[in-house]
Amino acid sequence: MYRLKATKEFWAGDVIFSEASIAAVVFDSLAERICHSCFRRQEKLQRCGQCKFAHYCDRTCQRAGWAEHKLECSAIKAYGKVPNENIRVVARIMWRLDKEGSTVSDMQLTTLDELEDHIADMPEDDLKELKVDIHNFLDYWPHNSKQHTIDDISHIFGVINCNGFSVSDQRGLQAVGVGLFPNLCLVNHDCWPNCTVILNHGNQSAVNTMFHSQRRIELRALGKIAEGEELTVAYVDFLNLSEERQRLLKTQYFFDCTCEDCKNRIKDDMKIGGREEDGVKPSEEQVKEATDYCFQMLEKMEKARLNGDYHEVVKICRECIEKTEPVLADTHIYLLRMWSTMSEVQAYLQYFDDAADYARKMVEGYMKLYHPNNAALGMAAMRAGVTHWQAGQIEVAHGMICKAYAILMVTHGPTHPITKDLDAMRIQTEMELRMFKQNEYVYHSMREAALKNKPMTMMHEPKSVEEGIKNLFHRRK
């Protein structure tokens, strides 16, 4: 097992290394809505005139993506259809390796041959899928490209399966594709890590592609790291119970987690415990009953949500919250999910006061559970800040946005689009807060007028913002 160690001391927000992908592709389901070169979400995309599959923002992006798309373009035309995202990313990797050899940059610490594929550990169903993918890959792979052995091909599929990394859209809010970053594969997991990974899209706006900077991942320090200390990231979300994290790590990444948090079940009692009021706790029986009820309601709520029936979602959440809030701790993970959903959907339905209350409870719960510089906490604080702003609660809004900004400066860095958005919001709320303190009446009447002209929109659609962070490490379900 590799262990990447710090060669010098690092501080919160330091970029330890950045790395461009060997190859990356857009998910099948988003192929027409995301640019295949810069991975931005755009309303109107232009498609490649040859294969009719790849979509781009404009000619600039098409030119920038041509080196990667060229061989794929003629292969799709010859094959007569588009293979799935796994086959496409494996093909792009193999074309690149054929052209440039096993080390594509001076900074690469490992070759793909050295990475684990875990094919021997795969369950029967996954192996069947792998065989189908390999069969389809062989049909798709052009005769005039260099031919490879089945073992070599299946190795790359295996590497993608357990080491593929989710590529997010420009704002970092949604996973839109999958890529392979070899150095990142060497960073081991810890449930309470000292680093985080963020995708930085670089700059692709210059008309001359020579001035584009590469799409890359950045490994960033979450706090002080001593020289010689191992660098770690979290492959799964800490909000899961220890047992669930261990199960996910075993099934998705084929190892048993032995970190302190798992061994000592740290914070599990908070995540699934009862509410203590004046030294009085509910019985284990009551907590179990409320937890089970919450779990059932979450399943019902998820169904209503998938059907787009948001009023039903609110009804289910409200019923569940009223029944379980008096019994469960304010850090109970099911209650946090209910509050999170409630704040999103109520904001979407424009009941901002309600949405703000739930968002605040969610952030307060997260603050007790997560690392102070956790990206999911930063995103939740940002959402809560916007929701409080929408509710006209400027003091809390400004405080939340400042909190989010401080976290995202560490996890995303100052040049990331979402940090820039937050900075603009921070400046705006600071100005509004000063105005509010001078004269509340004038502030509220100006605000009303401003809202009619231009409401501050931010992540209105009820879609989990955290999913982008929680599912950073791509896995085929």
Side-chain angles (χ1 to χ4, degrees):
M1 189 168 162
Y2 294 102
R3 289 189 191 285
L4 271 198
K5 294 190 174 169
T7 52
K8 62 174 191 180
E9 188 174 76
F10 290 104
W11 293 85
D14 284 352
V15 176
I16 296 166
F17 70 74
S18 69
E19 173 185 29
S21 62
I22 277 196
V25 297
V26 173
F27 289 147
D28 300 338
S29 56
L30 297 170
E32 292 176 12
R33 297 204 294 279
I34 301 288
C35 172
H36 289 219
S37 175
C38 73
F39 285 78
R40 279 181 192 172
R41 176 182 287 282
Q42 299 279 12
E43 283 307 303
K44 280 216 168 5
L45 292 169
Q46 299 172 7
R47 66 178 185 174
C48 170
Q50 299 288 313
C51 66
K52 310 277 192 282
F53 166 67
H55 285 70
Y56 300 98
C57 298
D58 49 33
R59 295 300 293 271
T60 305
C61 275
Q62 191 165 2
R63 276 200 299 272
W66 181 240
E68 263 200 293
H69 178 56
K70 188 177 171 185
L71 293 165
E72 174 185 79
C73 186
S74 51
I76 289 172
K77 274 199 311 189
Y79 188 44
K81 55 181 189 255
V82 180
N84 70 33
E85 63 217 28
N86 276 29
I87 293 171
R88 286 187 288 119
V89 78
V90 169
R92 280 188 168 204
I93 289 167
M94 298 193 86
W95 279 315
R96 179 129 192 224
L97 295 180
D98 289 348
K99 187 180 167 198
E100 299 177 36
S102 59
T103 311
V104 299
S105 92
D106 301 344
M107 302 297 288
Q108 201 177 310
L109 300 171
T110 177
T111 64
L112 264 54
D113 293 345
E114 294 170 301
L115 292 175
E116 288 281 355
D117 60 26
H118 290 289
I119 288 173
D121 306 315
M122 275 186 184
E124 197 56 44
D125 286 352
D126 287 3
L127 273 175
K128 273 186 193 151
E129 272 187 44
L130 175 72
K131 282 181 179 154
V132 171
D133 273 350
I134 291 170
H135 176 81
N136 291 334
F137 175 89
L138 291 169
D139 284 347
Y140 169 66
W141 187 251
H143 297 303
N144 57 355
S145 285
K146 183 182 168 188
Q147 297 304 303
H148 295 273
T149 66
I150 299 276
D151 281 355
D152 286 349
I153 297 164
S154 53
H155 173 70
I156 304 283
F157 272 104
V159 167
I160 287 291
N161 192 44
C162 53
N163 284 300
F165 181 83
S166 284
V167 174
S168 60
D169 61 4
Q170 177 71 3
R171 297 216 123 38
L173 293 176
Q174 188 197 1
V176 296
V178 59
L180 186 67
F181 299 83
N183 288 353
L184 181 62
C185 303
L186 302 178
V187 184
N188 289 324
H189 163 85
D190 194 294
C191 290
W192 195 263
N194 55 18
C195 297
T196 187
V197 186
I198 191 69
L199 188 87
N200 185 329
H201 280 256
N203 172 27
Q204 268 106 9
S205 58
V207 176
N208 187 335
T209 52
M210 196 175 96
F211 298 110
H212 287 197
S213 55
Q214 277 184 306
R215 180 179 62 243
R216 61 196 181 275
I217 54 100
E218 291 173 348
L219 186 75
R220 306 179 72 93
L222 289 176
K224 187 182 171 191
I225 299 173
E227 184 181 341
E229 200 180 320
E230 187 183 358
L231 305 170
T232 55
V233 292
Y235 295 0
V236 295
D237 186 21
F238 183 69
L239 231 50
N240 292 307
L241 293 169
S242 314
E243 204 177 321
E244 175 63 3
R245 290 199 307 270
Q246 287 182 304
R247 186 190 68 77
L248 288 168
L249 291 164
K250 187 70 175 169
T251 54
Q252 296 184 4
Y253 304 100
F254 311 103
F255 70 86
D256 298 300
C257 186
T258 55
C259 76
E260 289 304 308
D261 291 83
C262 284
K263 274 196 299 210
N264 302 321
R265 298 178 172 273
I266 293 172
K267 296 196 180 180
D268 275 11
D269 53 342
M270 293 168 73
K271 293 177 193 174
I272 209 85
R275 178 183 293 274
E276 188 175 326
E277 202 122 344
D278 305 325
V280 181
K281 274 185 169 177
S283 68
E284 277 185 32
E285 192 63 25
Q286 285 172 301
V287 173
K288 187 183 180 320
E289 199 179 304
T291 300
D292 291 346
Y293 175 74
C294 230
F295 183 73
Q296 287 161 6
M297 293 301 262
L298 278 168
E299 289 188 323
K300 273 175 78 173
M301 179 271 288
E302 209 42 58
K303 275 192 189 134
R305 188 172 153 145
L306 288 172
N307 294 334
D309 189 349
Y310 299 128
H311 292 283
E312 180 65 14
V313 170
V314 171
K315 192 170 145 257
I316 293 166
C317 287
R318 185 156 280 144
E319 208 174 296
C320 181
I321 289 167
E322 276 170 16
K323 191 166 175 177
T324 60
E325 213 172 44
V327 183
L328 301 178
D330 59 3
T331 47
H332 193 292
I333 50 179
Y334 293 167
L335 199 50
L336 287 172
R337 290 233 331 252
M338 282 291 175
W339 287 337
S340 172
T341 304
M342 198 61 161
S343 75
E344 279 181 67
V345 175
Q346 290 291 61
Y348 179 70
L349 299 172
Q350 305 208 338
Y351 297 116
F352 297 124
D353 287 320
D354 240 15
D357 286 347
Y358 292 117
R360 195 183 61 255
K361 287 179 179 179
M362 171 186 73
V363 171
E364 284 167 0
Y366 278 10
M367 281 165 70
K368 292 175 187 172
L369 295 176
Y370 274 129
H371 184 290
N373 281 335
N374 185 291
L377 172 60
M379 300 298 262
M382 175 171 75
R383 227 177 75 197
V386 172
T387 309
H388 280 83
W389 181 88
Q390 288 164 327
Q393 299 175 32
I394 188 65
E395 289 172 283
V396 183
H398 181 64
M400 286 281 190
I401 282 167
C402 287
K403 173 158 194 57
Y405 182 68
I407 296 172
L408 264 65
M409 278 292 280
V410 171
T411 59
H412 290 57
T415 61
H416 196 282
I418 209 148
T419 319
K420 286 180 174 172
D421 281 356
L422 258 177
D423 198 23
M425 282 151 63
R426 186 176 64 98
I427 292 164
Q428 183 182 329
T429 51
E430 192 175 332
M431 194 173 67
E432 288 189 26
L433 185 56
R434 277 206 300 271
M435 205 192 305
F436 171 79
K437 284 178 173 170
Q438 281 164 1
N439 188 324
E440 285 186 36
Y441 174 75
V442 171
Y443 166 71
H444 281 296
S445 46
M446 283 182 72
R447 185 188 145 79
E448 286 301 307
L451 278 176
K452 283 192 181 105
N453 293 333
K454 186 175 179 285
M456 185 198 274
T457 52
M458 179 72 202
M459 301 176 285
H460 255 12
E461 68 282 11
K463 171 160 193 18
S464 176
V465 172
E466 288 89 5
E467 73 152 18
I469 292 154
K470 286 178 183 171
N471 303 330
L472 276 179
F473 288 83
H474 166 73
R475 277 276 306 166
R476 265 177 74 179
K477 291 290 170 277

